[in-house]
Amino acid sequence: MKEDMERVRMVIRHFADYVLLDSCAYQSAGFYNGQAGVALALFESARMLDDSFLEEQAFNLFQKSLLSQDADMGFQEGWAGIGFVLAYLSHYRFIDTDLDELFKKRIYQICGYIEDGINKHRYGAGHSIRFFYEFPYETVWLGRNGKSKVWVL
């Protein structure tokens, strides 16, 4: 059993080293194929391996994703995915942050993106709802038609 666990740790170490080497090449800040998703994988790997250097690299990569100037609000490549990672890292105590202070403006933008996408039947807008799975509070925004929308999460 101990040998099996060592094999798993070795595979995770190889994975983390490979991903870390390529981390500077990621152009997207998003979750699926970008810096935020890679940072999440590196954070989990660092915790499993008890590796502070890897954790520091994950933190630096995630900070880069938060500095993105991309206007995409979607889950896969945009701010909804970055917000999901932020909330996940906070919830599982990888980082200590005030989600409201750091991400409140983006939450309203993401809500607008989802509402607009659903109203226009845009493919992919529904995926952004996954963003809210990690946010531990009620989100309220004013819909385009002037009616207040409330999502209790």
Side-chain angles (χ1 to χ4, degrees):
M1 185 70 158
K2 188 173 182 169
E3 294 167 358
D4 291 338
M5 198 58 191
E6 281 305 311
R7 281 192 195 129
V8 168
R9 290 175 62 80
M10 186 177 69
V11 168
I12 291 172
R13 167 60 62 198
H14 288 302
F15 161 77
D17 289 343
Y18 176 78
V19 169
L20 192 55
L21 284 173
D22 283 347
S23 65
C24 63
Y26 295 103
Q27 298 301 313
S28 168
F31 177 56
Y32 278 20
N33 300 309
Q35 296 163 343
V38 171
L40 177 57
L42 291 174
F43 268 112
E44 286 289 359
S45 299
R47 183 170 279 177
M48 174 87 178
L49 299 171
D50 194 26
D51 186 326
S52 59
F53 174 77
L54 194 56
E55 184 176 13
E56 183 180 326
Q57 297 307 307
F59 183 75
N60 291 338
L61 187 60
F62 186 63
Q63 280 185 314
K64 282 177 63 177
S65 74
L66 287 173
L67 297 173
S68 172
Q69 297 300 312
D70 196 344
D72 186 349
M73 292 295 143
F75 186 77
Q76 295 177 1
E77 301 296 330
W79 284 103
I82 295 169
F84 175 85
V85 172
L86 175 65
Y88 181 97
L89 294 175
S90 178
H91 179 78
Y92 290 102
R93 303 192 193 289
F94 287 99
I95 60 173
D96 183 25
T97 187
D98 181 349
L99 295 174
D100 227 15
E101 182 181 320
L102 187 61
F103 217 70
K104 189 172 189 169
K105 178 183 173 188
R106 293 285 182 199
I107 291 171
Y108 290 108
Q109 292 171 334
I110 293 165
C111 288
Y113 168 81
I114 293 169
E115 180 183 26
D116 190 53
I118 290 171
N119 289 341
K120 293 181 179 176
H121 305 287
R122 184 173 52 233
Y123 175 77
H127 293 292
S128 298
I129 293 171
R130 294 180 195 156
F131 156 76
F132 293 107
Y133 291 162
E134 284 297 326
F135 269 82
Y137 54 84
E138 184 176 286
T139 301
V140 180
W141 84 96
L142 190 62
R144 296 203 193 293
N145 60 3
K147 295 181 182 173
S148 181
K149 307 274 184 163
V150 178
W151 292 16
V152 179
L153 306 171

